[in-house]
Amino acid sequence: MIHAEHSALVLVDAETEAQTFRPGFARKIIRTADLMTVVIDIEGGPWTEPDPMHAHSHEQISYVASGEVLFLSEGQPPKHLRAGDLFAVASGVPHSIQLLSPTARLVDTFHPIREDFL
Amino acid sequence: MIHAEHSALVLVDAETEAQTFRPGFARKIIRTADLMTVVIDIEGGPWTEPDPMHAHSHEQISYVASGEVLFLSEGQPPKHLRAGDLFAVASGVPHSIQLLSPTARLVDTFHPIREDFL
């Protein structure tokens, strides 16, 4: 994980080893004091159903860098997202995704930082 | 601008009109209460020199979605970044970019939100 605590730092994709945190999910993390971005490369799609809904107090904005996902949030119709699309999740709102393509890259940014990812 | 205040919302790139805020710079914005992502499409590169350094109290993490940029920050050697790379800027740290390719897309996320972008 790269931590820009009092400076500016870069994460060079080709020089940074990813951490597999779940089968088919590899991530790279860069953070400041109160902001954390997690680049997640997912393989093994398409999935036949979405992940279970989950919620967290952290606010989240995600950019779909490649692939296609179905974005689900409580009380709303699922949205088909493609590369270049984004979703934003307010604190505590249940949400999930379903991978629709063989692979995808999501760029998830959280505030505050996900202590559970450290 | 899309504001996920108490819910989850999406920004569909193809359905969202960009705002030109400077010649060659078009942006689309999605936010929660304390997090703001600005997708910036830049054209007219490559540039012969970097933008002047600037600083803000907001923490920033940026994802290079396409193109190539030189990332500059005070007291550090410039870094050549390509699609898939990121940079993170702590509060108050002077930084800048120089566009090295004809076009680029940067996904800039800030905490707290940039009131000056509303």
Side-chain angles (χ1 to χ4, degrees):
Chain A
M1 196 196 56
I2 289 167
H3 185 177
E5 198 167 358
H6 304 293
S7 62
L9 293 174
V10 303
L11 186 159
V12 176
D13 196 23
E15 297 170 4
T16 308
E17 197 172 351
Q19 172 198 16
T20 299
F21 61 100
R22 165 182 162 180
F25 286 70
R27 71 185 173 201
K28 301 178 184 185
I29 302 180
I30 187 168
R31 59 166 288 198
T32 56
D34 287 317
L35 196 59
M36 173 184 275
T37 295
V38 185
V39 177
I40 305 180
D41 288 308
I42 313 175
E43 55 183 29
W47 302 344
T48 55
E49 54 184 47
D51 255 354
M53 289 269 187
H54 71 290
H56 39 72
S57 60
H58 312 73
E59 301 179 5
Q60 176 179 348
I61 299 179
S62 295
Y63 179 78
V64 181
S66 69
E68 298 185 24
V69 298
L70 198 65
F71 175 71
L72 303 102
S73 68
E74 206 168 72
Q76 293 192 41
K79 304 276 173 49
H80 187 143
L81 302 182
R82 297 169 179 82
D85 296 340
L86 301 101
F87 60 86
V89 183
S91 177
V93 175
H95 60 284
S96 175
I97 61 156
Q98 178 178 350
L99 184 58
L100 299 178
S101 46
T103 64
R105 166 171 278 203
L106 296 182
V107 181
D108 292 351
T109 301
F110 300 96
H111 163 73
I113 65 159
R114 296 286 303 252
E115 298 278 357
D116 52 325
F117 290 175
L118 296 181
Chain B
M1 196 195 56
I2 290 167
H3 185 177
E5 197 168 0
H6 303 294
S7 63
L9 294 175
V10 303
L11 186 159
V12 176
D13 195 23
E15 298 171 3
T16 308
E17 196 172 352
Q19 173 199 15
T20 298
F21 61 99
R22 166 180 162 180
F25 286 69
R27 69 186 175 200
K28 301 178 184 185
I29 302 179
I30 186 168
R31 60 165 287 195
T32 56
D34 287 317
L35 197 57
M36 173 183 275
T37 296
V38 185
V39 177
I40 305 180
D41 289 308
I42 313 175
E43 55 184 28
W47 301 345
T48 54
E49 55 184 49
D51 254 354
M53 290 269 186
H54 72 290
H56 40 73
S57 60
H58 311 74
E59 300 179 6
Q60 175 179 349
I61 298 179
S62 295
Y63 179 78
V64 181
S66 69
E68 299 184 25
V69 298
L70 198 64
F71 175 70
L72 303 102
S73 68
E74 205 169 73
Q76 293 191 41
K79 304 277 173 47
H80 187 143
L81 301 181
R82 297 168 177 82
D85 296 339
L86 301 101
F87 60 85
V89 183
S91 176
V93 175
H95 60 283
S96 175
I97 61 158
Q98 178 179 348
L99 184 57
L100 299 178
S101 46
T103 65
R105 166 172 278 204
L106 296 183
V107 182
D108 292 351
T109 302
F110 300 96
H111 163 73
I113 64 159
R114 296 286 303 250
E115 299 278 357
D116 51 326
F117 290 174
L118 296 181

